[in-house]
Amino acid sequence: MDNIDFVYKMKNISKKYDTKTVLQIEDLAIREGEIFCLVGPSGAGKSTLLRIMNFIETTDTGEIFFLGHKYTPGQTPQLKVTREVTTVFQRSALMTTSVWNNVIYPLKIRGRAISSTETERIKQILDDLGLADLIKQRADKLSGGEAQRVALARAIVFNPSVLLLDEPTANLDPANVDIIEKIISKYVQERKACIVMVTHNIFQARRLADRIALMHKGKMIEIKEKDDFFENPEEKITQDFLSGRLVF
Ligand SMILES: Nc1ncnc2c1ncn2[C@@H]1O[C@H](COP(=O)(O)OP(=O)(O)OP(=O)(O)O)[C@@H](O)[C@H]1O
């Protein structure tokens, strides 16, 4: 089991749609226990990279080491490995049943019995997310912010090693953003999981990230520890991005 301090290591990965290369990354490693924020203009390839990290899509070239095992194009890990990673999207689809049933669904499909300790743990997650009073409510009748908090609860309830977040707080009000950011930080601290988060909000990246990466036109332009990213950007593209001059 090489590379165990790294959850992902990617070498020379690329992805094309038709003839257009949308992703070309030479070297990227994501560490255990970090919040890694991906920023960059629209179309940079951020969501494509998350789909590859979730094994929803495969690369055309290169190698991905995930939890110490190597995958080449076309190879996907076994179900028990892919279940170590999950994505929360900007608008996650919920089932037309109660909040509780939605949240326990990942445990049910994994065949996990819900013991009384497990029930207490799930209730704590729901409580942290301000959902305790909505347990019996139908998930399709929730507000956008409530629905997004349920989607996050459903993702963390089965303790994944990796949580991928694709603009999880876009279009939410500050109170919902605050609740979601707090649980993201708590999850990383308690579980020592890693989180890769796409955000268009650089203030959010500044609040949450350990490291930040700027993507542009499918490439990694600059990856730095959070403070360094903001205070000492080396690349002109990063400087333009941070000053709002880089549009796409
Ligand atoms: N299924 C697809 N088929 C063809 N092209 C695609 C597909 N998915 C993404 N693309 C293209 O790949 C490029 C990268 O898209 P991606 O969604 O990864 O960017 P992004 O950085 O997440 O953008 P945004 O911030 O707007 O969500 C874009 O040019 C997009 O049009």
Side-chain angles (χ1 to χ4, degrees):
M1 295 280 279
D2 292 337
N3 312 308
I4 203 64
D5 293 334
F6 293 95
V7 178
Y8 293 93
K9 265 193 176 181
M10 299 174 212
K11 299 265 179 218
N12 298 315
I13 62 160
S14 66
K15 178 76 187 168
K16 265 188 192 167
Y17 289 119
D18 299 320
T19 54
K20 187 182 168 197
T21 299
V22 300
L23 204 64
Q24 199 160 25
I25 297 175
E26 283 172 23
D27 212 348
L28 175 64
I30 310 285
R31 303 169 186 155
E32 255 176 23
E34 74 169 337
I35 300 183
F36 186 89
C37 279
L38 280 173
V39 298
S42 189
K46 305 177 299 292
S47 299
T48 304
L49 178 58
L50 283 198
R51 287 197 298 278
I52 287 169
M53 292 174 112
N54 204 160
F55 303 100
I56 296 167
E57 291 206 54
T58 171
T59 56
D60 297 323
T61 63
E63 296 174 339
I64 298 180
F65 292 84
F66 179 61
L67 297 173
H69 295 277
K70 181 168 114 178
Y71 303 95
T72 49
Q75 284 186 328
T76 31
Q78 293 177 331
L79 193 58
K80 77 174 189 354
V81 178
T82 55
R83 280 180 172 171
E84 285 298 324
V85 45
T86 193
T87 305
V88 176
F89 297 96
Q90 189 177 339
R91 270 185 220 88
S92 296
L94 298 173
M95 298 184 299
T96 55
T97 175
S98 68
V99 166
W100 181 258
N101 283 342
N102 268 275
V103 171
I104 64 165
Y105 182 71
L107 299 174
K108 281 177 90 172
I109 59 169
R110 285 164 177 78
R112 287 223 328 239
I114 301 173
S115 62
S116 54
T117 327
E118 195 82 312
T119 302
E120 286 313 306
R121 191 180 64 84
I122 300 166
K123 282 188 173 162
Q124 182 62 54
I125 292 170
L126 290 168
D127 205 27
D128 287 348
L129 282 163
L131 294 167
D133 295 337
L134 296 173
I135 286 178
K136 292 184 180 155
Q137 185 155 326
R138 267 181 56 172
D140 55 322
K141 305 283 182 211
L142 299 172
S143 73
E146 290 163 349
Q148 194 60 347
R149 283 183 273 141
V150 172
L152 193 57
R154 184 179 59 180
I156 63 180
V157 87
F158 65 93
N159 264 326
S161 305
V162 182
L163 197 51
L164 305 174
L165 305 172
D166 200 346
E167 296 185 50
T169 61
N171 306 319
L172 298 186
D173 66 283
N176 272 295
V177 172
D178 188 50
I179 296 172
I180 288 175
E181 288 185 357
K182 284 202 171 97
I183 196 121
I184 289 171
S185 300
K186 185 176 174 187
Y187 187 67
V188 171
Q189 274 161 20
E190 288 183 354
R191 170 68 172 82
K192 304 274 177 260
C194 90
I195 291 188
V196 181
M197 179 166 85
V198 171
T199 180
H200 278 288
N201 182 339
I202 55 171
F203 300 105
Q204 178 168 61
R206 190 157 212 171
R207 286 193 294 272
L208 287 179
D210 295 297
R211 288 192 302 153
I212 302 180
L214 173 69
M215 287 187 73
H216 187 229
K217 298 188 174 171
K219 299 202 167 144
M220 282 291 165
I221 304 299
E222 188 156 357
I223 303 176
K224 280 204 151 117
E225 299 292 326
K226 184 232 317 257
D227 290 341
D228 229 19
F229 182 86
F230 285 101
E231 283 154 28
N232 305 306
E234 279 166 42
E235 301 294 329
K236 172 136 192 340
I237 295 178
T238 316
Q239 293 160 7
D240 287 350
F241 177 75
L242 289 173
S243 63
R245 290 193 299 269
L246 184 73
V247 181
F248 58 86

